[in-house]
Amino acid sequence: MLKRIFAAMLACTLAGPAMAASGNVELQRRDWSFSGPFGTFDKAAMQRGFQAYREVCAGCHSLELIAFRNFADLGYNEAEIKAIAAQYDVQDGPNDDGEMFMRPGIAADRIPSPYLNENAARAGNNGALPPDLSLITKARANGPDYLFSLLAGYKEAPEGVTVPEGMHYNAAYPGNLIAMPQPLYGEDVTYSDGANNSVEAISSDLVQFLMWAAEPKMEVRKRIGVAAVFFLSIFLIFSYLAKRRIWADVH
Amino acid sequence: MAKSDKTQNPAKGDVQEPGRRDFFVVATYAMAGLGAAAVAWPLIDQLNPAADTLALANIEVDVSKIAVGQSITVKWRGKPVFIRHRTADEIARANATDITGLRDPQDDVARAEKPEYLVLVGVCTHLGCVPLGQKTGEVRGDYDGWFCPCHGSHYDTSGRIRKGPAPTNLEVPPHNYLSDSVIRIG
Amino acid sequence: MSAEKFQNPVVRWIDHRLPVFSMLDHEKYDYPVPKNLNYMWNFGVLAGMALAIMIVTGIVLAMSYTAHVDYAFESVERIMRDVNHGWLIRYIHMNTASFFFIVVYIHILRGLYYGSYKAPRELLWILGVVIFLLMMATAFMGYVLPWGQMSFWGATVITNLFSAIPIVGDSIVTLLWGGFSVDNATLNRFFSLHYLLPFVISGVVVLHIVALHRFGSNNPIGIDASGPQDTISFHPYYTIKDMVGIAVFLLLLAMTVFFFPNAMGHPDNYIPANALQTPAHIVPEWYFLPFYAILRAVPDKLGGVLLMFGAIAVLFILPWLDKSPVRSARFRPLFRIFFWLFLIDAILLGYLGGKPAEGIYVTLSRIATAWYFLHFLVILPLLSMFETTKPLPKSISEPVLGSSGRSA
């Protein structure tokens, strides 16, 4: 039994990369505002990204790790967060009668998931599981570029490639056949700030929002990082000079 | 073998350690100390309540559904909070009490912003038990408020200590009315 | 032990009853250290520092971690999001684990190059290999705790190694799991052991240092100090030199933690564990890759497992494989060539361990594995018999004063 598991796993190790290699994966490299040691999030883009998530993705994809209170990072104030939270129905309970009940969300609640559980999610999507998006940009290699390329990567299948029923051709997806139907066609969302709503623009906004969702502490991390590296560089110079002084009388 | 001919070390004999007064030597060790101190802060600060805990530091309670004479208990910061919709009689008795003789003298108006609703942290100020008196039929003590079964503290209809070992009145948590019927505690 | 050397009366009072200050003083001033140690000798202290960072951050992380299959992944994310500075502490813990291995690998390679394993330091070396083994066990179990996909499948594959043992293999694996697969019981015991082992390591480190201080450090020349002219006190000379190494170490660590915190991790570990779906390409953490390559090089399951453990076991008997009386590679021209070949071989194995086991990679893995064992079991014994070594200097001071200039 165990031997079979082991063999199967070795087979997976063998087959996995071969599968990944069979389709051409096209990654579009982009300059993101959050790249590099001084990178920051674009708050307006994140707000638009949240709107796009809500109107396009949230029907199938959960965002389990994000609570409404986290939206302070997007630039919303307390009242706005309260208002956003109140637009969602959150299950609470049990009440004194032992029943679960729905109530409007509060800032401390997490964003409710579209499906009750994994089986329900699969049942609603032809057996494919729409992954939770909280960590998606960290859970894929080159996450931000990959996500952007995936959203903008739906194409006509090239000749010779048959796309089975329920699958879709995507240039950025490993193996090129993805269960998710094309989510963006352009003008899917109307932004209140009148920003561009082409497929590329919405994808970019979504990447901003989801990068923040995966790594909400990135800005403070980089800020402390710059100070720490500066401090340690001085420390290195000083300790080296001190070492030279102390060792001057040896030899 | 190095060990066998262990002798006086050259540096040890020196009165002055080399570099002891050197700026860079002093600065290096000072920076090492400073760096260690800076690193200590995150390690200590992580003991403080986390963001998700702090997010629940305030709760909002709708008191409109509490019938006159009834009480509800809600959980706030891990502790029970008693909210009693007091009867006119209870309010009158709380106000009529002469506070000069009390152990912890306090006027009822100072304890209840709206006299109908009394909000209390349901933890006995003696040793931390939860007093009885919330549910109908429970012992309410000699002063018809709350009674702590652990060591016999009696609280009146304003939650003030009247008899027993507790040193102070039941604590009134910071709260304010967001509307006529919604109280924000915390 | 004359307490008069301390001027502070409190220190003197304590030292008279509990001679900690005398011991400290002894380490600082009386313990003779060869004066020609180069920066390669920093890595022992750096390893100790890495261990200290791991223990401190680990204890703190354990305060917010939940060892349960349903909560482990989320509790780690809570640390990353909600716990004050939790992201910092976890990223330091994650990346220092990698740095710990980098430092220890350099420490081991330094020992190999300068013959630090040779008499009379055989036990010192063996204790070091024990630490290395314990580190691997600790790192492996620590990687399981976040309960991501790589955690789960890494645990499954590595524990399955033991199923290769004839007859009792399957029973041993069930014993390790505490169930019929990697599950909650496994996670709980791994957490318990992951917390325990670092303290075991600390204990062995103490023995490692006691053994070190018996004969003192080896040095780049590889000959024993012949007198006080060859040695200096640890403080202030090596404290400040170690400080330079620590500065470089911390600078590189900080750059990684703050700017590339996930560079040495795997994206799949940000996907919660799923017992029904193996990731497309499972690889262990980078520091296990050379051994993983050896495991996969052998087409036979038991053979692969034996060879992988053999790759570490061979280090235990190294002092008796290389019997050359000359320690340092500086005076062993052939040994030096083979040392660099071995290093290339080890790096190649690491590279191959991260590649799919197919085509040319399999062939290369086999050649590299064969070379690994050839190096220890054949080349080193032969070299120690037939190699013509260069003449050794008379003392440590001589080459330091001579043409080689400032070697330190």
Side-chain angles (χ1 to χ4, degrees), chain C residues 250-309:
Chain C
L250 289 178
L251 188 59
L252 293 174
L253 179 65
M255 286 177 179
T256 315
V257 163
F258 290 111
F259 302 122
F260 310 99
N262 293 305
M264 285 185 281
H266 196 288
D268 279 13
N269 226 27
Y270 282 109
I271 304 171
N274 180 351
L276 303 179
Q277 195 175 23
T278 310
H281 182 39
I282 37 174
V283 283
E285 303 94 295
W286 69 266
Y287 37 82
F288 291 143
L289 288 177
F291 301 101
Y292 193 57
I294 292 175
L295 168 77
R296 294 193 309 184
V298 188
D300 177 66
K301 183 175 169 185
L302 178 60
V305 173
L306 285 179
L307 224 54
M308 189 183 76
F309 285 112

XYZ file of all heavy atoms in Angstrom, chain C residues 250-309:
480
model
N 24.245 39.288 9.124
C 22.977 39.967 9.404
C 22.536 40.834 8.234
O 21.345 40.943 7.942
C 23.096 40.817 10.668
C 23.197 40.040 11.980
C 23.346 40.995 13.148
C 22.000 39.129 12.192
N 23.516 41.422 7.551
C 23.175 42.266 6.401
C 22.523 41.419 5.305
O 21.464 41.782 4.774
C 24.446 42.949 5.882
C 24.257 44.007 4.806
C 23.368 45.126 5.310
C 25.610 44.582 4.387
N 23.122 40.278 5.009
C 22.546 39.411 3.981
C 21.192 38.865 4.426
O 20.240 38.787 3.649
C 23.509 38.254 3.670
C 24.817 38.677 3.005
C 25.759 37.484 2.877
C 24.561 39.281 1.637
N 21.110 38.506 5.716
C 19.843 37.994 6.243
C 18.753 39.061 6.145
O 17.628 38.788 5.721
C 20.029 37.541 7.692
C 18.782 37.008 8.399
C 18.297 35.731 7.742
C 19.057 36.751 9.874
N 19.106 40.295 6.514
C 18.122 41.378 6.479
C 17.659 41.630 5.052
O 16.467 41.812 4.791
C 18.717 42.651 7.073
N 18.602 41.631 4.100
C 18.196 41.843 2.701
C 17.213 40.768 2.264
O 16.235 41.046 1.573
C 19.431 41.810 1.797
C 20.294 43.043 1.908
S 21.748 42.846 0.869
C 22.564 44.407 1.144
N 17.461 39.544 2.680
C 16.562 38.453 2.297
C 15.211 38.588 2.989
O 14.161 38.511 2.348
C 17.195 37.103 2.668
O 18.566 37.112 2.260
C 16.486 35.969 1.991
N 15.245 38.786 4.297
C 14.005 38.837 5.077
C 13.115 39.991 4.612
O 11.910 39.836 4.453
C 14.325 38.988 6.581
C 13.099 39.455 7.356
C 14.830 37.675 7.142
N 13.724 41.146 4.355
C 12.908 42.323 4.078
C 12.559 42.485 2.598
O 11.559 43.098 2.266
C 13.602 43.582 4.595
C 13.638 43.657 6.101
C 14.824 43.524 6.795
C 12.468 43.840 6.824
C 14.853 43.576 8.181
C 12.487 43.894 8.203
C 13.679 43.764 8.879
N 13.405 41.958 1.716
C 13.147 42.208 0.307
C 12.844 40.954 -0.512
O 12.190 41.024 -1.538
C 14.307 42.984 -0.307
C 14.560 44.295 0.390
C 15.783 44.586 0.965
C 13.534 45.222 0.504
C 15.987 45.778 1.632
C 13.730 46.419 1.169
C 14.959 46.702 1.733
N 13.320 39.790 -0.079
C 13.023 38.554 -0.820
C 12.637 37.440 0.160
O 13.248 36.372 0.163
C 14.233 38.108 -1.647
C 14.823 39.190 -2.482
C 15.951 39.890 -2.063
C 14.239 39.537 -3.694
C 16.488 40.906 -2.830
C 14.770 40.548 -4.462
C 15.895 41.238 -4.035
N 11.641 37.693 1.004
C 11.403 36.735 2.093
C 10.981 35.348 1.620
O 11.190 34.377 2.327
C 10.273 37.394 2.889
C 9.625 38.337 1.950
C 10.697 38.804 1.014
N 10.422 35.263 0.422
C 9.946 33.952 -0.017
C 10.835 33.333 -1.090
O 10.487 32.308 -1.667
C 8.512 34.076 -0.542
C 7.544 34.431 0.565
O 7.477 33.743 1.570
N 6.833 35.537 0.404
N 11.979 33.975 -1.344
C 12.830 33.507 -2.442
C 13.315 32.078 -2.219
O 13.453 31.314 -3.158
C 14.020 34.451 -2.613
N 13.566 31.711 -0.972
C 14.088 30.371 -0.724
C 12.983 29.385 -0.349
O 13.254 28.245 -0.027
C 15.173 30.423 0.343
C 16.468 31.001 -0.211
S 17.837 30.963 0.939
C 17.470 32.359 1.945
N 11.745 29.851 -0.389
C 10.629 28.952 -0.116
C 10.020 28.460 -1.418
O 10.565 28.684 -2.503
N 8.890 27.814 -1.318
C 8.226 27.307 -2.512
C 6.788 27.833 -2.526
O 6.107 27.767 -1.508
C 8.234 25.783 -2.489
C 7.936 25.195 -3.830
N 6.692 25.239 -4.392
C 8.727 24.576 -4.735
C 6.732 24.656 -5.582
N 7.952 24.247 -5.818
N 6.322 28.356 -3.694
C 4.975 28.919 -3.741
C 3.906 27.933 -3.267
O 2.927 28.337 -2.643
C 4.775 29.247 -5.223
C 6.118 29.298 -5.825
C 7.026 28.472 -4.980
N 4.102 26.644 -3.557
C 3.068 25.669 -3.206
C 2.782 25.609 -1.716
O 1.741 25.113 -1.299
C 3.454 24.272 -3.704
C 3.130 24.112 -5.181
O 2.851 25.138 -5.812
O 3.161 22.974 -5.678
N 3.731 26.102 -0.887
C 3.455 26.028 0.539
C 2.511 27.132 1.007
O 2.164 27.189 2.178
C 4.741 26.031 1.355
C 4.698 24.958 2.420
O 4.002 23.951 2.255
N 5.381 25.165 3.523
N 2.089 27.996 0.074
C 1.026 28.942 0.397
C -0.335 28.404 -0.029
O -1.327 29.121 -0.032
C 1.309 30.308 -0.232
C 2.342 31.085 0.549
C 3.622 31.293 0.066
C 2.024 31.600 1.813
C 4.569 31.991 0.813
C 2.951 32.298 2.547
C 4.217 32.487 2.039
O 5.143 33.187 2.786
N -0.363 27.130 -0.433
C -1.637 26.451 -0.700
C -1.869 25.494 0.467
O -0.972 24.724 0.805
C -1.575 25.650 -2.021
C -1.167 26.571 -3.174
C -2.905 24.969 -2.298
C -0.867 25.824 -4.458
N -3.028 25.542 1.107
C -3.255 24.643 2.248
C -3.118 23.177 1.841
O -3.397 22.807 0.705
C -4.694 24.965 2.666
C -4.993 26.305 2.101
C -4.173 26.434 0.862
N -2.660 22.363 2.783
C -2.435 20.947 2.508
C -3.699 20.283 1.994
O -4.789 20.542 2.477
C -1.958 20.250 3.776
N -3.514 19.436 0.994
C -4.641 18.697 0.437
C -4.184 17.260 0.218
O -3.339 16.991 -0.624
C -5.071 19.339 -0.877
C -6.238 18.616 -1.513
O -6.631 17.528 -1.075
N -6.802 19.222 -2.547
N -4.752 16.353 1.004
C -4.297 14.966 0.978
C -4.690 14.251 -0.308
O -4.243 13.140 -0.556
C -4.866 14.215 2.178
N -5.529 14.880 -1.125
C -6.005 14.201 -2.323
C -5.309 14.673 -3.587
O -5.612 14.205 -4.673
C -7.521 14.423 -2.470
C -8.347 13.957 -1.280
C -9.812 14.232 -1.517
C -8.105 12.479 -1.012
N -4.402 15.640 -3.451
C -3.791 16.197 -4.651
C -2.321 16.526 -4.404
O -2.007 17.372 -3.565
C -4.553 17.458 -5.050
C -4.248 17.911 -6.453
C -5.097 19.083 -6.853
O -5.592 19.825 -6.016
N -5.259 19.271 -8.140
N -1.457 15.843 -5.120
C -0.024 16.123 -4.989
C 0.343 17.263 -5.925
O -0.132 17.299 -7.056
C 0.795 14.878 -5.374
O 0.294 13.772 -4.672
C 2.258 15.070 -5.036
N 1.181 18.208 -5.460
C 1.636 19.260 -6.363
C 2.387 18.655 -7.556
O 2.932 17.550 -7.455
C 2.593 20.091 -5.515
C 2.302 19.723 -4.110
C 1.755 18.345 -4.122
N 2.399 19.394 -8.649
C 2.987 18.868 -9.888
C 4.445 18.459 -9.701
O 4.902 17.469 -10.252
C 2.866 19.908 -10.985
N 5.163 19.211 -8.907
C 6.607 18.978 -8.844
C 7.046 19.154 -7.399
O 7.232 20.275 -6.946
C 7.295 20.001 -9.761
C 8.779 19.841 -9.836
N 9.394 18.624 -9.862
C 9.768 20.766 -9.904
C 10.712 18.799 -9.936
N 10.959 20.096 -9.956
N 7.148 18.047 -6.653
C 7.537 18.223 -5.258
C 9.043 18.200 -5.110
O 9.733 17.316 -5.611
C 6.918 17.194 -4.280
C 6.828 15.824 -4.914
C 5.597 17.661 -3.750
C 6.353 14.798 -3.927
N 9.526 19.189 -4.416
C 10.953 19.258 -4.094
C 11.076 19.571 -2.613
O 10.241 20.264 -2.046
C 11.671 20.369 -4.889
C 11.926 19.944 -6.300
C 10.892 21.658 -4.838
N 12.121 19.044 -1.976
C 12.360 19.428 -0.586
C 12.956 20.835 -0.538
O 13.208 21.445 -1.582
C 13.353 18.382 -0.094
C 14.063 17.918 -1.306
C 13.116 18.079 -2.459
N 13.174 21.344 0.662
C 13.854 22.616 0.789
C 15.227 22.498 0.139
O 15.805 21.420 0.078
C 14.015 22.992 2.268
C 12.712 23.049 3.022
C 12.412 21.734 3.708
O 12.201 20.735 2.985
O 12.388 21.682 4.931
N 15.757 23.634 -0.304
C 16.969 23.601 -1.122
C 18.124 22.891 -0.424
O 18.929 22.218 -1.064
C 17.387 25.028 -1.518
C 17.869 25.849 -0.362
C 17.131 26.701 0.394
C 19.189 25.878 0.176
N 17.897 27.257 1.371
C 19.169 26.771 1.266
C 20.391 25.242 -0.146
C 20.300 27.036 2.039
C 21.517 25.507 0.615
C 21.465 26.396 1.698
N 18.189 23.001 0.926
C 19.360 22.441 1.596
C 19.354 20.927 1.653
O 20.333 20.306 2.032
C 19.520 23.035 3.002
C 18.243 23.291 3.767
C 17.606 22.280 4.458
C 17.690 24.567 3.790
C 16.445 22.536 5.167
C 16.519 24.822 4.487
C 15.906 23.806 5.169
O 14.753 24.054 5.864
N 18.234 20.307 1.279
C 18.207 18.842 1.220
C 18.437 18.313 -0.197
O 18.521 17.104 -0.398
C 16.855 18.306 1.708
C 16.626 18.494 3.177
C 15.363 18.799 3.668
C 17.666 18.352 4.086
C 15.147 18.975 5.025
C 17.453 18.535 5.445
C 16.199 18.841 5.911
N 18.509 19.235 -1.161
C 18.517 18.792 -2.557
C 19.647 17.821 -2.914
O 19.411 16.840 -3.618
C 18.521 20.007 -3.495
C 17.198 20.766 -3.543
C 17.317 21.995 -4.429
C 16.077 19.879 -4.042
N 20.894 18.052 -2.433
C 21.937 17.082 -2.805
C 21.596 15.663 -2.358
O 21.814 14.699 -3.099
C 23.182 17.593 -2.079
C 22.921 19.036 -1.830
C 21.445 19.158 -1.651
N 21.025 15.558 -1.163
C 20.694 14.229 -0.649
C 19.489 13.647 -1.382
O 19.407 12.442 -1.619
C 20.453 14.298 0.857
C 21.653 14.827 1.600
C 21.701 16.139 2.025
C 22.761 14.028 1.814
C 22.817 16.646 2.671
C 23.881 14.517 2.456
C 23.914 15.834 2.889
N 18.583 14.537 -1.751
C 17.417 14.116 -2.520
C 17.855 13.568 -3.879
O 17.327 12.576 -4.371
C 16.488 15.320 -2.697
C 15.104 15.007 -3.193
C 14.285 14.126 -2.503
C 14.599 15.613 -4.342
C 13.000 13.859 -2.945
C 13.321 15.353 -4.789
C 12.518 14.476 -4.088
O 11.246 14.225 -4.524
N 18.859 14.217 -4.477
C 19.372 13.756 -5.770
C 19.978 12.360 -5.631
O 19.791 11.493 -6.495
C 20.415 14.736 -6.297
N 20.692 12.131 -4.525
C 21.289 10.809 -4.304
C 20.184 9.764 -4.161
O 20.254 8.678 -4.735
C 22.202 10.835 -3.056
C 23.424 11.713 -3.331
C 22.602 9.426 -2.650
C 24.334 11.919 -2.156
N 19.124 10.136 -3.427
C 17.996 9.222 -3.246
C 17.409 8.803 -4.594
O 17.133 7.632 -4.846
C 16.908 9.901 -2.395
C 15.555 9.203 -2.344
C 15.614 8.012 -1.412
C 14.457 10.150 -1.900
N 17.250 9.779 -5.474
C 16.575 9.493 -6.737
C 17.492 8.873 -7.784
O 17.026 8.378 -8.815
C 15.969 10.777 -7.301
C 14.858 11.312 -6.433
C 14.083 12.375 -7.148
N 14.967 13.409 -7.707
C 14.532 14.492 -8.322
N 13.265 14.678 -8.476
N 15.377 15.387 -8.805
N 18.811 8.947 -7.511
C 19.754 8.430 -8.494
C 19.671 6.909 -8.596
O 20.057 6.321 -9.604
C 21.172 8.866 -8.140
N 19.190 6.298 -7.491
C 19.195 4.836 -7.457
C 17.828 4.315 -7.868
O 16.811 4.753 -7.334
C 19.536 4.345 -6.036
C 19.746 2.853 -6.025
C 20.752 5.084 -5.528
N 17.784 3.393 -8.832
C 16.478 2.888 -9.275
C 15.807 1.979 -8.252
O 14.632 1.682 -8.351
C 16.814 2.109 -10.556
C 18.268 1.815 -10.486
C 18.904 2.845 -9.621
N 16.555 1.544 -7.240
C 15.983 0.658 -6.227
C 15.615 1.474 -4.998
O 16.380 2.318 -4.546
C 17.012 -0.414 -5.848
C 16.489 -1.315 -4.753
O 15.528 -2.046 -5.008
O 17.043 -1.265 -3.632
N 14.430 1.221 -4.446
C 13.940 2.042 -3.338
C 14.838 1.933 -2.112
O 15.327 2.932 -1.592
C 12.516 1.610 -3.000
C 11.890 2.447 -1.919
C 10.440 2.036 -1.720
C 9.867 2.667 -0.483
N 8.505 2.199 -0.218
N 15.064 0.689 -1.661
C 15.895 0.501 -0.477
C 17.298 1.028 -0.728
O 17.902 1.695 0.108
C 15.935 -0.982 -0.095
C 16.809 -1.321 1.112
C 16.334 -0.592 2.359
C 16.820 -2.824 1.361
N 17.812 0.747 -1.919
C 19.159 1.198 -2.266
C 19.273 2.707 -2.185
O 20.238 3.249 -1.647
N 18.253 3.402 -2.710
C 18.269 4.860 -2.694
C 18.291 5.404 -1.288
O 19.066 6.307 -0.951
N 17.444 4.822 -0.446
C 17.362 5.288 0.936
C 18.689 5.033 1.652
O 19.217 5.903 2.354
C 16.195 4.593 1.660
C 16.214 4.932 3.139
C 14.877 5.004 1.037
N 19.240 3.817 1.459
C 20.504 3.487 2.127
C 21.616 4.428 1.676
O 22.404 4.919 2.487
C 20.898 2.035 1.817
C 20.086 0.969 2.555
C 20.546 -0.419 2.147
C 20.230 1.154 4.066
N 21.639 4.700 0.387
C 22.703 5.553 -0.139
C 22.556 6.977 0.403
O 23.535 7.639 0.740
C 22.632 5.558 -1.666
C 23.985 5.417 -2.369
C 24.708 4.189 -1.860
C 23.791 5.324 -3.872
N 21.308 7.430 0.513
C 21.100 8.787 1.010
C 21.598 8.909 2.450
O 22.306 9.857 2.788
C 19.624 9.156 0.933
C 19.395 10.612 1.239
S 17.674 11.059 1.236
C 17.156 10.384 2.774
N 21.205 7.941 3.281
C 21.710 7.996 4.654
C 23.215 7.738 4.692
O 23.934 8.279 5.525
C 20.941 7.015 5.540
C 19.559 7.494 5.884
C 18.431 6.860 5.389
C 19.388 8.626 6.677
C 17.154 7.324 5.695
C 18.113 9.091 6.983
C 17.010 8.435 6.493
